[in-house]
Amino acid sequence: MEIIKITQISKKFGSFLNPIKALNDISFSINKGEFVGIMGPSGAGKTTLLNVISSAVKPDLGMVTINDQVLTSMKENQLAKFRKQNLGFIFQDFNLLEALTVEENLILPLTFSKMKKAQIEQRLKHVNEVLGLTALNKRKISELSGGQKQLVACGRAIINSPEVLFADEPTGSLDSKSATQLLNYLEKINQQEKTSILMATHDAFTASYCNRIIFIKDGSFFAELNANGNRQDFFEKIINMQKTIGGGEFFNAK
Ligand SMILES: Nc1ncnc2c1ncn2[C@@H]1O[C@H](COP(=O)(O)OP(=O)(O)OP(=O)(O)O)[C@@H](O)[C@H]1O
Ligand SMILES: [Mg+2]
């Protein structure tokens, strides 16, 4: 069953005289329970694509549908409600509130909802169990390591049991041990909770956890790779595709 469908998405930034084409006529679908990666050189449009699909940024052209709801024709207040109820986000810079505790950060997405205290506590317990965060609950974010913060960001993203989880370079600032740990959690959430995941990444190892990868270059669709069950094999295919696609203009400009 299809959960996300995007049709002919285009997005420009910049001015009329000096436009930057960030996305150019992109279409694809994601099935419920899929773990899909978005890859491509720096500046390819990965973050813009995630932002357009999660409705943080409006496309110039095209349609975004999640769970049969057309996000691109919703009003702002409808969108805000939809995002809160159905979507989760893990940002590269965590976006946690440093002065608050782990627990306070985790339940933040639920505190403005009409959820009862007992239910909030039950969700918190579940997330703590899935991510093994219980021991850190009373610590302030400012007292945590980068890897621990990343886990809290992950917990906060899944506490509302989202249908879709968006992650932008979730392992970008982690060492390989913490990265592997986070990826194992994402895999667990994907398999046990059936959460669909859309993740942008530069990193072939991170991407090798996906079921499928969509490569974009200069804002356009470039290629697609499907996993076949063997992660090492998939990793090598990803590396080869990265060689084929080359670097971003930013890095090529000498
Ligand atoms: N708010 C903005 N205003 C103007 N240009 C923007 C804006 N956001 C993105 N761009 C431009 O759109 C293009 C795509 O940017 P985007 O951030 O989506 O790339 P990316 O693939 O996520 O890159 P990276 O791998 O470096 O994170 C780039 O040329 C970027 O400079
Ligand atoms: Mg980006």
Side-chain angles (χ1 to χ4, degrees), residues 13 20 22 41-48 202:
F13 290 112
I20 300 161
S42 189
K46 302 179 293 296
T47 297
T48 309
H202 277 286

Side-chain angles (χ1 to χ4, degrees), residues 13-175:
F13 290 112
S15 62
F16 177 72
L17 290 175
N18 202 0
I20 300 161
K21 260 190 178 178
L23 296 173
N24 188 19
D25 196 19
I26 295 203
S27 303
F28 60 79
S29 301
I30 293 174
N31 285 329
K32 196 167 169 52
E34 260 196 300
F35 187 170
V36 174
I38 306 287
M39 295 192 85
S42 189
K46 302 179 293 296
T47 297
T48 309
L49 185 59
L50 287 194
N51 286 341
V52 165
I53 298 176
S54 64
S55 79
V57 166
K58 255 199 178 335
D60 300 328
L61 292 171
M63 190 161 89
V64 175
T65 310
I66 299 185
N67 251 349
D68 294 326
Q69 306 244 31
V70 183
L71 268 57
T72 31
S73 35
M74 276 188 193
K75 294 209 177 73
E76 207 42 61
N77 57 345
Q78 280 177 296
L79 265 182
K81 195 170 164 210
F82 182 88
R83 284 160 62 93
K84 218 186 306 179
Q85 287 176 348
N86 299 281
L87 312 181
F89 302 89
I90 305 176
F91 302 96
Q92 184 172 7
D93 56 2
F94 317 129
N95 269 351
L96 298 169
L97 299 175
E98 295 276 330
L100 299 187
T101 64
V102 168
E103 186 176 290
E104 287 162 343
N105 270 274
L106 285 172
I107 62 169
L108 207 59
L110 304 179
T111 43
F112 300 108
S113 67
K114 294 197 182 85
M115 200 176 274
K116 298 234 160 56
K117 198 164 171 250
Q119 202 184 349
I120 293 180
E121 270 165 14
Q122 189 237 323
R123 291 270 183 102
L124 178 66
K125 187 164 169 267
H126 177 69
V127 167
N128 272 323
E129 277 166 13
V130 175
L131 297 177
L133 274 170
T134 314
L136 296 178
N137 264 230
K138 304 294 176 202
R139 298 257 293 267
K140 286 214 170 91
I141 298 297
S142 55
E143 298 161 0
L144 302 183
S145 75
Q148 290 169 332
K149 285 183 190 176
Q150 189 65 279
L151 274 189
V152 179
C154 186
R156 193 188 49 183
I158 61 166
I159 200 154
N160 63 346
S161 308
E163 289 269 355
V164 185
L165 181 61
F166 294 90
D168 194 359
E169 305 281 1
T171 57
S173 50
L174 300 183
D175 64 33

Side-chain angles (χ1 to χ4, degrees), residues 213-247:
I213 297 171
I214 293 163
F215 289 83
I216 58 173
K217 183 175 186 178
D218 300 332
S220 299
F221 177 87
F222 184 82
E224 188 173 292
L225 280 180
N226 281 288
N228 58 4
N230 179 336
R231 190 171 296 152
Q232 180 63 33
D233 196 39
F234 193 37
F235 174 78
E236 277 159 29
K237 277 196 202 156
I238 296 166
I239 297 274
N240 285 333
M241 184 61 81
Q242 282 183 306
K243 283 183 193 151
T244 310
I245 204 168

